[in-house]
Amino acid sequence: MLIAFNKPYGVLCQFTDRSTPPRPTLAGFGLPPDVYAAGRLDHDSEGLLLLTDDGTLAHRLTDPRHKQLKTYWVQVEGDPQPAQLRALREGVLLNDGPTRPAQVHRLDPTPSLWPRDPPVRHRKTVPDAWLEIVISEGRNRQVRRMTAAVGLPTLRLVRVAIGPYRLDDLPPGQWRRL
């Protein structure tokens, strides 16, 4: 079984949380029993999370050797300049080594997404922009670290695809079988 889930902002990619107070987890969304997340999305990221009960499939989806492309829509602070976009496309040096080159382009018009709760802070004097970033690795907070490294801090991050699987019009907190 393979499930696409639209993970809302502030939800952990696990079924339990031992912190006090407990944070929202996948357990609150009526997912079928015995499925587990194939990969992760940070607590403050949103979008497509795949869940499965098939360990072999989970391995194929998450193992870096299989180079599943992951597509993100990223709201960044600032006005992306050609040199910043080129740096992302060529690969960025992070504290754990260089990233692989990414596919990057500006999204214009702004993508139509659900409102985030809480909303992203808006500053009248600081522009923001949306980028589509496609990567073939999955390091911890990689996209956020990449955009920060080129001077474009991430304000909102939404994963819209993993390989051939797309979020499409699935509302936040909802899931469907693939």
Side-chain angles (χ1 to χ4, degrees):
M1 172 180 359
L2 182 62
I3 291 173
F5 175 64
N6 187 346
K7 186 191 93 60
Y9 176 87
V11 172
L12 296 176
C13 285
Q14 55 198 43
F15 285 89
T16 59
D17 181 33
R18 290 182 170 75
S19 64
T20 305
R23 298 168 290 182
T25 68
L26 298 177
F29 294 94
L31 290 157
D34 301 320
V35 296
Y36 300 92
R40 301 184 78 69
L41 266 179
D42 296 327
H43 177 263
D44 50 356
S45 297
E46 309 163 71
L48 182 61
L49 181 67
L50 297 177
L51 298 104
T52 183
D53 59 355
D54 181 336
T56 302
L57 175 58
H59 178 76
R60 263 199 330 265
L61 291 169
T62 59
D63 190 293
R65 290 182 297 220
H66 296 288
K67 295 184 177 76
Q68 288 288 334
L69 297 179
K70 297 167 197 76
T71 305
Y72 299 87
W73 289 350
V74 187
Q75 184 182 20
V76 296
E77 184 177 277
D79 182 21
Q81 299 302 302
Q84 292 169 306
L85 298 177
R86 186 172 46 257
L88 292 168
R89 288 182 188 117
E90 292 173 356
V92 176
L93 181 59
L94 302 176
N95 61 355
D96 55 352
T99 65
R100 292 184 185 137
Q103 300 170 35
V104 181
H105 71 271
R106 192 170 182 146
L107 291 173
D108 193 24
T110 298
S112 176
L113 291 171
W114 54 90
R116 194 185 87 174
D117 184 23
V120 172
R121 63 182 161 84
H122 177 74
R123 297 187 341 202
K124 292 180 183 178
T125 60
V126 179
D128 62 60
W130 282 88
L131 303 175
E132 181 175 88
I133 300 179
V134 181
I135 60 173
S136 62
E137 9 177 32
R139 299 186 209 177
N140 186 35
R141 301 181 67 85
Q142 180 174 343
V143 172
R144 291 177 186 280
R145 293 189 299 141
M146 289 172 66
T147 61
V150 300
L152 297 168
T154 293
L155 300 173
R156 187 175 182 190
L157 187 137
V158 180
R159 183 163 56 199
V160 295
I162 301 171
Y165 306 106
R166 298 202 54 85
L167 188 59
D168 295 327
D169 58 355
L170 188 63
Q174 299 297 307
W175 58 272
R176 69 171 174 264
R177 291 180 192 258
L178 298 173

